[in-house]
Amino acid sequence: MAENNQSDLVSKIVSLCKRRGIVFQNSEIYGGIQGFYDYGPVGSLMKINWKNAWWTDNVVRRRDVVGIDGAIITHPRVWEASGHVQNFTDTLVECKSCHKRFRVDQIEDQKKCAECGGQLTEPKKYNLMFKTEIGVIEGEKTTAYLKAEACQTIYLDFKNVVDSSRVKIPFGIAQIGKAFRNEITPKNFLYRLREFEQWDIQFFTHPSEMEKWFEYWKENRMNWYKSMLNDPSKLRFKEHAKDELAFYAKKAFDIEYDAPWGWSEMEGIHWRSDYDLTQHSKFSGQDLSYIDPITHERYLPWIVETSGGVDRNFFFMLLDAYREEETPSGETRTYLKINPRIAAYKIAIFPLAANKPELITKAEGIFDKLSQKYSVDWDDSSNIGKKYRRQDEIGTPWCLVVDFQTLEDNTVTIRDRDTMSQIRINVDEVDSWLEKQLNSKYENIKS
Ligand code: ATP
């Protein structure tokens, strides 16, 4: 798509997401609430596939990574140990007239409101964590926090994982989990949310192998995103400057996406050394060190962290996939060129005429067979053009039509989303044909 179309790309995707049941504004009937979104019937399937692709490639297909699924609320001391209670702040100013709040690092004029020209307050620190209370009796309630980052439960469960599984260093613990941040200015659709999910790997290594594993994960994660998206030129690394690094980090990189509003962080690759386990050892009083089963060396492992935003990167995936093209008949065709692993449906089945019971019965038979193995959509509405348009817009890679010829020779047509080309094959071959397509044409993750 031409550069000058980039600016309306976001609004086109927001509208497509609503129209096709991918993402809805949360609480829309009440006017919406900033920074919160819901996934609709199509989007929830796509998001499950998005997370499954990450989980499959990083946990299921690896012998050195195991997964956990931690709670949203943890002991309040966790956030003291992690430094969030003290330091997880943004500095904001508020307009004295319209009361709009701005992050100081995101405005040019620190004295005047960009919205109404009113005077701004002095900057003040603002903690981004959501607070809640545990317990029912007034006066005995304890303040707790919703997870500000998903990874903390990995550190908390480190000892339990080592004691209960057969993991040996080097190994990783992966988790996909919710995170909550009271962002001052949620914006750009799914990019900056107040409730979102993160996919994290904390990879535990001997300090002497930290450099090697850091470089390994940096490349591995970039290659993964390249394999999931169409356009690798939209991806790059950004190294953190020395003065941006945490005191324990030797280096850190972001994987960035070239979004319509500029290069933006997708995922961080962080050098965490033994900081987190040291902090939790100190605050909990528990020894979190690891004993090497062969050398018997006791040490606190060092950690390479990879932490990405599931929703934010889902949005980047949509930006990468969105296509508009003129058809030979002069219409504009919109389609999502998404990896079939992520598509809500792998194939859609259309009986050509809804009022012909023999066609419906034949198509139902194909649906019943294929839906044992794949996610399959069904559409028996009357207008074939509209049916294709809907499937194109949600990124269904193939559409299968059962027509009158099917009743004569047991063949169906299959149309390709990206090329619109059609083939005619025997019904009995559809399953193996589809499997072959999914395995060869698009199955490109083998890191
Ligand atoms: P940013 O600089 O964009 O605020 P961050 O550096 O604070 O992000 P991390 O704490 O490293 O982010 O979180 C890891 C990942 O979680 C980020 O790379 C991003 O993809 C995602 N993420 C962070 N904040 C948000 C948010 N408010 N909404 C959606 N995704 C987010």
Side-chain angles (χ1 to χ4, degrees), residues 98-131:
C98 72
H99 301 289
K100 200 156 181 219
R101 291 172 164 192
F102 303 93
R103 257 170 71 171
V104 167
D105 60 349
Q106 288 179 349
I107 52 173
E108 275 169 24
D109 188 340
Q110 315 233 325
K111 299 273 172 235
K112 222 165 69 184
C113 174
E115 295 280 313
C116 74
Q119 207 192 350
L120 297 176
T121 58
E122 286 302 307
K124 43 176 195 244
K125 294 257 186 218
Y126 166 84
N127 195 298
L128 298 183
M129 282 199 293
F130 278 88
K131 270 190 197 165

PDB file of all heavy atoms in Angstrom, residues 98-131:
ATOM      1  N   CYS A  98      -9.118  22.281  31.261  1.00  0.00           N
ATOM      2  CA  CYS A  98      -9.937  21.151  30.776  1.00  0.00           C
ATOM      3  C   CYS A  98      -9.621  19.843  31.510  1.00  0.00           C
ATOM      4  O   CYS A  98     -10.271  18.836  31.278  1.00  0.00           O
ATOM      5  CB  CYS A  98      -9.783  20.971  29.260  1.00  0.00           C
ATOM      6  SG  CYS A  98      -8.179  20.317  28.754  1.00  0.00           S
ATOM      7  N   HIS A  99      -8.617  19.864  32.389  1.00  0.00           N
ATOM      8  CA  HIS A  99      -8.237  18.712  33.235  1.00  0.00           C
ATOM      9  C   HIS A  99      -7.739  17.505  32.459  1.00  0.00           C
ATOM     10  O   HIS A  99      -7.690  16.395  32.989  1.00  0.00           O
ATOM     11  CB  HIS A  99      -9.388  18.314  34.178  1.00  0.00           C
ATOM     12  CG  HIS A  99      -9.781  19.434  35.081  1.00  0.00           C
ATOM     13  ND1 HIS A  99      -8.984  19.858  36.113  1.00  0.00           N
ATOM     14  CD2 HIS A  99     -10.842  20.259  35.057  1.00  0.00           C
ATOM     15  CE1 HIS A  99      -9.552  20.912  36.696  1.00  0.00           C
ATOM     16  NE2 HIS A  99     -10.684  21.175  36.072  1.00  0.00           N
ATOM     17  N   LYS A 100      -7.377  17.708  31.207  1.00  0.00           N
ATOM     18  CA  LYS A 100      -6.777  16.605  30.452  1.00  0.00           C
ATOM     19  C   LYS A 100      -5.359  16.373  30.978  1.00  0.00           C
ATOM     20  O   LYS A 100      -4.664  17.327  31.348  1.00  0.00           O
ATOM     21  CB  LYS A 100      -6.766  16.967  28.962  1.00  0.00           C
ATOM     22  CG  LYS A 100      -6.637  15.740  28.156  1.00  0.00           C
ATOM     23  CD  LYS A 100      -7.143  15.828  26.756  1.00  0.00           C
ATOM     24  CE  LYS A 100      -6.887  14.473  26.248  1.00  0.00           C
ATOM     25  NZ  LYS A 100      -6.539  13.870  25.313  1.00  0.00           N
ATOM     26  N   ARG A 101      -4.966  15.093  31.030  1.00  0.00           N
ATOM     27  CA  ARG A 101      -3.625  14.771  31.540  1.00  0.00           C
ATOM     28  C   ARG A 101      -2.708  14.355  30.395  1.00  0.00           C
ATOM     29  O   ARG A 101      -3.152  13.698  29.460  1.00  0.00           O
ATOM     30  CB  ARG A 101      -3.717  13.641  32.558  1.00  0.00           C
ATOM     31  CG  ARG A 101      -4.403  14.091  33.821  1.00  0.00           C
ATOM     32  CD  ARG A 101      -4.669  12.933  34.741  1.00  0.00           C
ATOM     33  NE  ARG A 101      -4.963  13.434  36.077  1.00  0.00           N
ATOM     34  CZ  ARG A 101      -5.006  12.674  37.156  1.00  0.00           C
ATOM     35  NH1 ARG A 101      -4.778  11.377  37.070  1.00  0.00           N
ATOM     36  NH2 ARG A 101      -5.274  13.195  38.342  1.00  0.00           N
ATOM     37  N   PHE A 102      -1.448  14.711  30.514  1.00  0.00           N
ATOM     38  CA  PHE A 102      -0.469  14.379  29.475  1.00  0.00           C
ATOM     39  C   PHE A 102       0.782  13.810  30.120  1.00  0.00           C
ATOM     40  O   PHE A 102       1.165  14.225  31.227  1.00  0.00           O
ATOM     41  CB  PHE A 102      -0.046  15.633  28.690  1.00  0.00           C
ATOM     42  CG  PHE A 102      -1.185  16.371  28.061  1.00  0.00           C
ATOM     43  CD1 PHE A 102      -1.809  17.419  28.733  1.00  0.00           C
ATOM     44  CD2 PHE A 102      -1.640  16.023  26.796  1.00  0.00           C
ATOM     45  CE1 PHE A 102      -2.868  18.103  28.156  1.00  0.00           C
ATOM     46  CE2 PHE A 102      -2.691  16.707  26.211  1.00  0.00           C
ATOM     47  CZ  PHE A 102      -3.311  17.751  26.890  1.00  0.00           C
ATOM     48  N   ARG A 103       1.432  12.866  29.415  1.00  0.00           N
ATOM     49  CA  ARG A 103       2.756  12.412  29.860  1.00  0.00           C
ATOM     50  C   ARG A 103       3.765  13.473  29.454  1.00  0.00           C
ATOM     51  O   ARG A 103       3.798  13.880  28.295  1.00  0.00           O
ATOM     52  CB  ARG A 103       3.092  11.091  29.175  1.00  0.00           C
ATOM     53  CG  ARG A 103       2.915   9.912  30.104  1.00  0.00           C
ATOM     54  CD  ARG A 103       3.022   8.632  29.363  1.00  0.00           C
ATOM     55  NE  ARG A 103       4.401   8.367  28.928  1.00  0.00           N
ATOM     56  CZ  ARG A 103       4.800   7.218  28.409  1.00  0.00           C
ATOM     57  NH1 ARG A 103       3.933   6.230  28.295  1.00  0.00           N
ATOM     58  NH2 ARG A 103       6.033   7.028  28.030  1.00  0.00           N
ATOM     59  N   VAL A 104       4.592  13.884  30.411  1.00  0.00           N
ATOM     60  CA  VAL A 104       5.545  14.965  30.150  1.00  0.00           C
ATOM     61  C   VAL A 104       6.445  14.634  28.966  1.00  0.00           C
ATOM     62  O   VAL A 104       6.746  15.506  28.147  1.00  0.00           O
ATOM     63  CB  VAL A 104       6.372  15.251  31.426  1.00  0.00           C
ATOM     64  CG1 VAL A 104       7.571  16.132  31.110  1.00  0.00           C
ATOM     65  CG2 VAL A 104       5.505  15.927  32.460  1.00  0.00           C
ATOM     66  N   ASP A 105       6.834  13.347  28.862  1.00  0.00           N
ATOM     67  CA  ASP A 105       7.754  12.994  27.769  1.00  0.00           C
ATOM     68  C   ASP A 105       7.061  12.938  26.416  1.00  0.00           C
ATOM     69  O   ASP A 105       7.682  12.675  25.405  1.00  0.00           O
ATOM     70  CB  ASP A 105       8.463  11.668  28.072  1.00  0.00           C
ATOM     71  CG  ASP A 105       7.484  10.513  28.241  1.00  0.00           C
ATOM     72  OD1 ASP A 105       6.266  10.770  28.328  1.00  0.00           O
ATOM     73  OD2 ASP A 105       7.924   9.357  28.280  1.00  0.00           O
ATOM     74  N   GLN A 106       5.722  13.169  26.393  1.00  0.00           N
ATOM     75  CA  GLN A 106       5.019  13.082  25.100  1.00  0.00           C
ATOM     76  C   GLN A 106       4.494  14.429  24.614  1.00  0.00           C
ATOM     77  O   GLN A 106       3.748  14.494  23.643  1.00  0.00           O
ATOM     78  CB  GLN A 106       3.848  12.095  25.211  1.00  0.00           C
ATOM     79  CG  GLN A 106       4.310  10.661  25.304  1.00  0.00           C
ATOM     80  CD  GLN A 106       3.162   9.685  25.427  1.00  0.00           C
ATOM     81  OE1 GLN A 106       2.022  10.067  25.641  1.00  0.00           O
ATOM     82  NE2 GLN A 106       3.470   8.408  25.315  1.00  0.00           N
ATOM     83  N   ILE A 107       4.828  15.520  25.333  1.00  0.00           N
ATOM     84  CA  ILE A 107       4.345  16.827  24.863  1.00  0.00           C
ATOM     85  C   ILE A 107       5.519  17.762  24.601  1.00  0.00           C
ATOM     86  O   ILE A 107       6.575  17.649  25.233  1.00  0.00           O
ATOM     87  CB  ILE A 107       3.366  17.495  25.868  1.00  0.00           C
ATOM     88  CG1 ILE A 107       3.977  17.548  27.285  1.00  0.00           C
ATOM     89  CG2 ILE A 107       2.034  16.810  25.870  1.00  0.00           C
ATOM     90  CD1 ILE A 107       3.149  18.339  28.263  1.00  0.00           C
ATOM     91  N   GLU A 108       5.300  18.675  23.672  1.00  0.00           N
ATOM     92  CA  GLU A 108       6.374  19.610  23.334  1.00  0.00           C
ATOM     93  C   GLU A 108       6.379  20.802  24.275  1.00  0.00           C
ATOM     94  O   GLU A 108       7.388  21.153  24.871  1.00  0.00           O
ATOM     95  CB  GLU A 108       6.219  20.079  21.887  1.00  0.00           C
ATOM     96  CG  GLU A 108       6.866  19.083  20.948  1.00  0.00           C
ATOM     97  CD  GLU A 108       6.543  19.331  19.505  1.00  0.00           C
ATOM     98  OE1 GLU A 108       6.210  20.467  19.135  1.00  0.00           O
ATOM     99  OE2 GLU A 108       6.642  18.337  18.743  1.00  0.00           O
ATOM    100  N   ASP A 109       5.191  21.425  24.453  1.00  0.00           N
ATOM    101  CA  ASP A 109       5.104  22.603  25.317  1.00  0.00           C
ATOM    102  C   ASP A 109       4.694  22.140  26.717  1.00  0.00           C
ATOM    103  O   ASP A 109       3.589  21.641  26.925  1.00  0.00           O
ATOM    104  CB  ASP A 109       4.058  23.568  24.731  1.00  0.00           C
ATOM    105  CG  ASP A 109       4.061  24.896  25.464  1.00  0.00           C
ATOM    106  OD1 ASP A 109       4.555  24.941  26.606  1.00  0.00           O
ATOM    107  OD2 ASP A 109       3.569  25.887  24.884  1.00  0.00           O
ATOM    108  N   GLN A 110       5.577  22.307  27.685  1.00  0.00           N
ATOM    109  CA  GLN A 110       5.302  21.792  29.029  1.00  0.00           C
ATOM    110  C   GLN A 110       4.507  22.793  29.872  1.00  0.00           C
ATOM    111  O   GLN A 110       4.228  22.539  31.046  1.00  0.00           O
ATOM    112  CB  GLN A 110       6.616  21.455  29.731  1.00  0.00           C
ATOM    113  CG  GLN A 110       7.574  20.701  28.828  1.00  0.00           C
ATOM    114  CD  GLN A 110       8.074  19.432  29.425  1.00  0.00           C
ATOM    115  OE1 GLN A 110       8.283  19.360  30.621  1.00  0.00           O
ATOM    116  NE2 GLN A 110       8.274  18.423  28.587  1.00  0.00           N
ATOM    117  N   LYS A 111       4.165  23.941  29.292  1.00  0.00           N
ATOM    118  CA  LYS A 111       3.439  24.962  30.077  1.00  0.00           C
ATOM    119  C   LYS A 111       1.979  25.085  29.623  1.00  0.00           C
ATOM    120  O   LYS A 111       1.108  25.407  30.419  1.00  0.00           O
ATOM    121  CB  LYS A 111       4.106  26.350  29.891  1.00  0.00           C
ATOM    122  CG  LYS A 111       5.553  26.412  30.364  1.00  0.00           C
ATOM    123  CD  LYS A 111       5.602  26.739  31.851  1.00  0.00           C
ATOM    124  CE  LYS A 111       7.011  26.609  32.403  1.00  0.00           C
ATOM    125  NZ  LYS A 111       7.148  25.719  33.530  1.00  0.00           N
ATOM    126  N   LYS A 112       1.746  24.813  28.318  1.00  0.00           N
ATOM    127  CA  LYS A 112       0.427  25.100  27.742  1.00  0.00           C
ATOM    128  C   LYS A 112      -0.265  23.828  27.240  1.00  0.00           C
ATOM    129  O   LYS A 112       0.384  22.981  26.620  1.00  0.00           O
ATOM    130  CB  LYS A 112       0.610  26.062  26.566  1.00  0.00           C
ATOM    131  CG  LYS A 112      -0.456  27.150  26.538  1.00  0.00           C
ATOM    132  CD  LYS A 112      -0.125  28.317  25.634  1.00  0.00           C
ATOM    133  CE  LYS A 112      -0.166  27.923  24.190  1.00  0.00           C
ATOM    134  NZ  LYS A 112       0.219  28.933  23.253  1.00  0.00           N
ATOM    135  N   CYS A 113      -1.571  23.694  27.532  1.00  0.00           N
ATOM    136  CA  CYS A 113      -2.336  22.508  27.112  1.00  0.00           C
ATOM    137  C   CYS A 113      -2.476  22.455  25.589  1.00  0.00           C
ATOM    138  O   CYS A 113      -2.903  23.442  24.958  1.00  0.00           O
ATOM    139  CB  CYS A 113      -3.715  22.555  27.758  1.00  0.00           C
ATOM    140  SG  CYS A 113      -4.805  21.242  27.191  1.00  0.00           S
ATOM    141  N   ALA A 114      -2.145  21.300  25.013  1.00  0.00           N
ATOM    142  CA  ALA A 114      -2.210  21.153  23.552  1.00  0.00           C
ATOM    143  C   ALA A 114      -3.661  21.111  23.068  1.00  0.00           C
ATOM    144  O   ALA A 114      -3.947  21.355  21.907  1.00  0.00           O
ATOM    145  CB  ALA A 114      -1.482  19.877  23.144  1.00  0.00           C
ATOM    146  N   GLU A 115      -4.600  20.814  23.987  1.00  0.00           N
ATOM    147  CA  GLU A 115      -6.013  20.701  23.583  1.00  0.00           C
ATOM    148  C   GLU A 115      -6.718  22.056  23.616  1.00  0.00           C
ATOM    149  O   GLU A 115      -7.386  22.445  22.680  1.00  0.00           O
ATOM    150  CB  GLU A 115      -6.759  19.763  24.548  1.00  0.00           C
ATOM    151  CG  GLU A 115      -6.268  18.345  24.502  1.00  0.00           C
ATOM    152  CD  GLU A 115      -6.821  17.553  23.319  1.00  0.00           C
ATOM    153  OE1 GLU A 115      -8.033  17.623  23.085  1.00  0.00           O
ATOM    154  OE2 GLU A 115      -6.014  16.883  22.640  1.00  0.00           O
ATOM    155  N   CYS A 116      -6.564  22.798  24.783  1.00  0.00           N
ATOM    156  CA  CYS A 116      -7.378  24.023  24.927  1.00  0.00           C
ATOM    157  C   CYS A 116      -6.522  25.260  25.192  1.00  0.00           C
ATOM    158  O   CYS A 116      -7.066  26.354  25.342  1.00  0.00           O
ATOM    159  CB  CYS A 116      -8.396  23.835  26.056  1.00  0.00           C
ATOM    160  SG  CYS A 116      -7.646  23.895  27.696  1.00  0.00           S
ATOM    161  N   GLY A 117      -5.208  25.073  25.279  1.00  0.00           N
ATOM    162  CA  GLY A 117      -4.338  26.235  25.503  1.00  0.00           C
ATOM    163  C   GLY A 117      -4.249  26.648  26.971  1.00  0.00           C
ATOM    164  O   GLY A 117      -3.556  27.616  27.314  1.00  0.00           O
ATOM    165  N   GLY A 118      -4.958  25.937  27.863  1.00  0.00           N
ATOM    166  CA  GLY A 118      -4.944  26.274  29.296  1.00  0.00           C
ATOM    167  C   GLY A 118      -3.571  26.042  29.933  1.00  0.00           C
ATOM    168  O   GLY A 118      -2.682  25.438  29.312  1.00  0.00           O
ATOM    169  N   GLN A 119      -3.452  26.522  31.186  1.00  0.00           N
ATOM    170  CA  GLN A 119      -2.166  26.397  31.879  1.00  0.00           C
ATOM    171  C   GLN A 119      -2.005  24.987  32.449  1.00  0.00           C
ATOM    172  O   GLN A 119      -2.978  24.398  32.955  1.00  0.00           O
ATOM    173  CB  GLN A 119      -2.163  27.408  33.020  1.00  0.00           C
ATOM    174  CG  GLN A 119      -0.789  27.857  33.407  1.00  0.00           C
ATOM    175  CD  GLN A 119      -0.836  28.636  34.723  1.00  0.00           C
ATOM    176  OE1 GLN A 119      -1.891  28.984  35.225  1.00  0.00           O
ATOM    177  NE2 GLN A 119       0.336  28.877  35.269  1.00  0.00           N
ATOM    178  N   LEU A 120      -0.786  24.446  32.372  1.00  0.00           N
ATOM    179  CA  LEU A 120      -0.548  23.094  32.893  1.00  0.00           C
ATOM    180  C   LEU A 120       0.007  23.147  34.316  1.00  0.00           C
ATOM    181  O   LEU A 120       0.702  24.100  34.679  1.00  0.00           O
ATOM    182  CB  LEU A 120       0.449  22.352  31.983  1.00  0.00           C
ATOM    183  CG  LEU A 120       0.001  22.092  30.544  1.00  0.00           C
ATOM    184  CD1 LEU A 120       1.123  21.443  29.728  1.00  0.00           C
ATOM    185  CD2 LEU A 120      -1.238  21.201  30.496  1.00  0.00           C
ATOM    186  N   THR A 121      -0.323  22.115  35.107  1.00  0.00           N
ATOM    187  CA  THR A 121       0.202  22.037  36.486  1.00  0.00           C
ATOM    188  C   THR A 121       1.690  21.686  36.447  1.00  0.00           C
ATOM    189  O   THR A 121       2.222  21.284  35.407  1.00  0.00           O
ATOM    190  CB  THR A 121      -0.500  20.903  37.271  1.00  0.00           C
ATOM    191  OG1 THR A 121      -0.287  19.695  36.545  1.00  0.00           O
ATOM    192  CG2 THR A 121      -1.981  21.160  37.463  1.00  0.00           C
ATOM    193  N   GLU A 122       2.343  21.756  37.601  1.00  0.00           N
ATOM    194  CA  GLU A 122       3.724  21.268  37.722  1.00  0.00           C
ATOM    195  C   GLU A 122       3.709  19.755  37.495  1.00  0.00           C
ATOM    196  O   GLU A 122       2.726  19.085  37.849  1.00  0.00           O
ATOM    197  CB  GLU A 122       4.258  21.541  39.132  1.00  0.00           C
ATOM    198  CG  GLU A 122       4.606  22.998  39.410  1.00  0.00           C
ATOM    199  CD  GLU A 122       5.638  23.538  38.431  1.00  0.00           C
ATOM    200  OE1 GLU A 122       6.695  22.900  38.294  1.00  0.00           O
ATOM    201  OE2 GLU A 122       5.363  24.580  37.772  1.00  0.00           O
ATOM    202  N   PRO A 123       4.791  19.168  36.933  1.00  0.00           N
ATOM    203  CA  PRO A 123       4.809  17.716  36.735  1.00  0.00           C
ATOM    204  C   PRO A 123       4.702  16.955  38.048  1.00  0.00           C
ATOM    205  O   PRO A 123       5.273  17.385  39.050  1.00  0.00           O
ATOM    206  CB  PRO A 123       6.189  17.479  36.104  1.00  0.00           C
ATOM    207  CG  PRO A 123       6.639  18.807  35.614  1.00  0.00           C
ATOM    208  CD  PRO A 123       5.986  19.839  36.458  1.00  0.00           C
ATOM    209  N   LYS A 124       3.925  15.885  38.066  1.00  0.00           N
ATOM    210  CA  LYS A 124       3.939  15.015  39.247  1.00  0.00           C
ATOM    211  C   LYS A 124       4.010  13.538  38.847  1.00  0.00           C
ATOM    212  O   LYS A 124       3.574  13.157  37.766  1.00  0.00           O
ATOM    213  CB  LYS A 124       2.799  15.266  40.224  1.00  0.00           C
ATOM    214  CG  LYS A 124       1.444  15.467  39.678  1.00  0.00           C
ATOM    215  CD  LYS A 124       0.433  15.614  40.804  1.00  0.00           C
ATOM    216  CE  LYS A 124      -0.953  15.442  40.224  1.00  0.00           C
ATOM    217  NZ  LYS A 124      -1.867  16.473  40.245  1.00  0.00           N
ATOM    218  N   LYS A 125       4.556  12.763  39.770  1.00  0.00           N
ATOM    219  CA  LYS A 125       4.731  11.326  39.525  1.00  0.00           C
ATOM    220  C   LYS A 125       3.390  10.616  39.721  1.00  0.00           C
ATOM    221  O   LYS A 125       2.611  10.955  40.607  1.00  0.00           O
ATOM    222  CB  LYS A 125       5.729  10.733  40.539  1.00  0.00           C
ATOM    223  CG  LYS A 125       7.125  11.268  40.356  1.00  0.00           C
ATOM    224  CD  LYS A 125       7.961  10.231  39.651  1.00  0.00           C
ATOM    225  CE  LYS A 125       9.403  10.678  39.579  1.00  0.00           C
ATOM    226  NZ  LYS A 125      10.063  10.356  38.364  1.00  0.00           N
ATOM    227  N   TYR A 126       3.194   9.588  38.899  1.00  0.00           N
ATOM    228  CA  TYR A 126       1.906   8.912  38.902  1.00  0.00           C
ATOM    229  C   TYR A 126       2.186   7.422  38.726  1.00  0.00           C
ATOM    230  O   TYR A 126       2.830   7.029  37.755  1.00  0.00           O
ATOM    231  CB  TYR A 126       1.130   9.512  37.727  1.00  0.00           C
ATOM    232  CG  TYR A 126      -0.104   8.816  37.270  1.00  0.00           C
ATOM    233  CD1 TYR A 126      -1.319   9.033  37.898  1.00  0.00           C
ATOM    234  CD2 TYR A 126      -0.075   7.973  36.157  1.00  0.00           C
ATOM    235  CE1 TYR A 126      -2.465   8.424  37.436  1.00  0.00           C
ATOM    236  CE2 TYR A 126      -1.215   7.357  35.695  1.00  0.00           C
ATOM    237  CZ  TYR A 126      -2.408   7.591  36.337  1.00  0.00           C
ATOM    238  OH  TYR A 126      -3.530   6.981  35.870  1.00  0.00           O
ATOM    239  N   ASN A 127       1.779   6.600  39.722  1.00  0.00           N
ATOM    240  CA  ASN A 127       2.063   5.167  39.634  1.00  0.00           C
ATOM    241  C   ASN A 127       1.057   4.495  38.699  1.00  0.00           C
ATOM    242  O   ASN A 127      -0.141   4.758  38.772  1.00  0.00           O
ATOM    243  CB  ASN A 127       2.020   4.520  41.026  1.00  0.00           C
ATOM    244  CG  ASN A 127       2.655   3.146  40.985  1.00  0.00           C
ATOM    245  OD1 ASN A 127       2.192   2.248  40.292  1.00  0.00           O
ATOM    246  ND2 ASN A 127       3.749   2.983  41.706  1.00  0.00           N
ATOM    247  N   LEU A 128       1.578   3.638  37.819  1.00  0.00           N
ATOM    248  CA  LEU A 128       0.729   3.049  36.776  1.00  0.00           C
ATOM    249  C   LEU A 128       0.015   1.773  37.214  1.00  0.00           C
ATOM    250  O   LEU A 128      -0.756   1.212  36.446  1.00  0.00           O
ATOM    251  CB  LEU A 128       1.576   2.719  35.545  1.00  0.00           C
ATOM    252  CG  LEU A 128       2.263   3.881  34.838  1.00  0.00           C
ATOM    253  CD1 LEU A 128       2.990   3.396  33.593  1.00  0.00           C
ATOM    254  CD2 LEU A 128       1.256   4.940  34.445  1.00  0.00           C
ATOM    255  N   MET A 129       0.279   1.325  38.448  1.00  0.00           N
ATOM    256  CA  MET A 129      -0.340   0.044  38.837  1.00  0.00           C
ATOM    257  C   MET A 129      -1.795   0.231  39.274  1.00  0.00           C
ATOM    258  O   MET A 129      -2.143   1.225  39.906  1.00  0.00           O
ATOM    259  CB  MET A 129       0.471  -0.590  39.966  1.00  0.00           C
ATOM    260  CG  MET A 129       1.722  -1.246  39.440  1.00  0.00           C
ATOM    261  SD  MET A 129       2.370  -2.431  40.597  1.00  0.00           S
ATOM    262  CE  MET A 129       2.859  -1.377  41.923  1.00  0.00           C
ATOM    263  N   PHE A 130      -2.618  -0.769  38.942  1.00  0.00           N
ATOM    264  CA  PHE A 130      -4.009  -0.782  39.397  1.00  0.00           C
ATOM    265  C   PHE A 130      -4.042  -1.392  40.800  1.00  0.00           C
ATOM    266  O   PHE A 130      -3.544  -2.496  40.995  1.00  0.00           O
ATOM    267  CB  PHE A 130      -4.868  -1.665  38.487  1.00  0.00           C
ATOM    268  CG  PHE A 130      -5.333  -1.005  37.241  1.00  0.00           C
ATOM    269  CD1 PHE A 130      -4.553  -1.021  36.089  1.00  0.00           C
ATOM    270  CD2 PHE A 130      -6.572  -0.376  37.187  1.00  0.00           C
ATOM    271  CE1 PHE A 130      -4.995  -0.425  34.921  1.00  0.00           C
ATOM    272  CE2 PHE A 130      -7.026   0.225  36.013  1.00  0.00           C
ATOM    273  CZ  PHE A 130      -6.233   0.206  34.888  1.00  0.00           C
ATOM    274  N   LYS A 131      -4.688  -0.679  41.718  1.00  0.00           N
ATOM    275  CA  LYS A 131      -4.778  -1.194  43.092  1.00  0.00           C
ATOM    276  C   LYS A 131      -6.121  -1.881  43.305  1.00  0.00           C
ATOM    277  O   LYS A 131      -7.125  -1.466  42.732  1.00  0.00           O
ATOM    278  CB  LYS A 131      -4.749  -0.012  44.057  1.00  0.00           C
ATOM    279  CG  LYS A 131      -3.382   0.390  44.506  1.00  0.00           C
ATOM    280  CD  LYS A 131      -3.517   1.384  45.628  1.00  0.00           C
ATOM    281  CE  LYS A 131      -2.189   2.105  45.790  1.00  0.00           C
ATOM    282  NZ  LYS A 131      -2.305   3.304  46.583  1.00  0.00           N
TER     283      LYS A 131
END
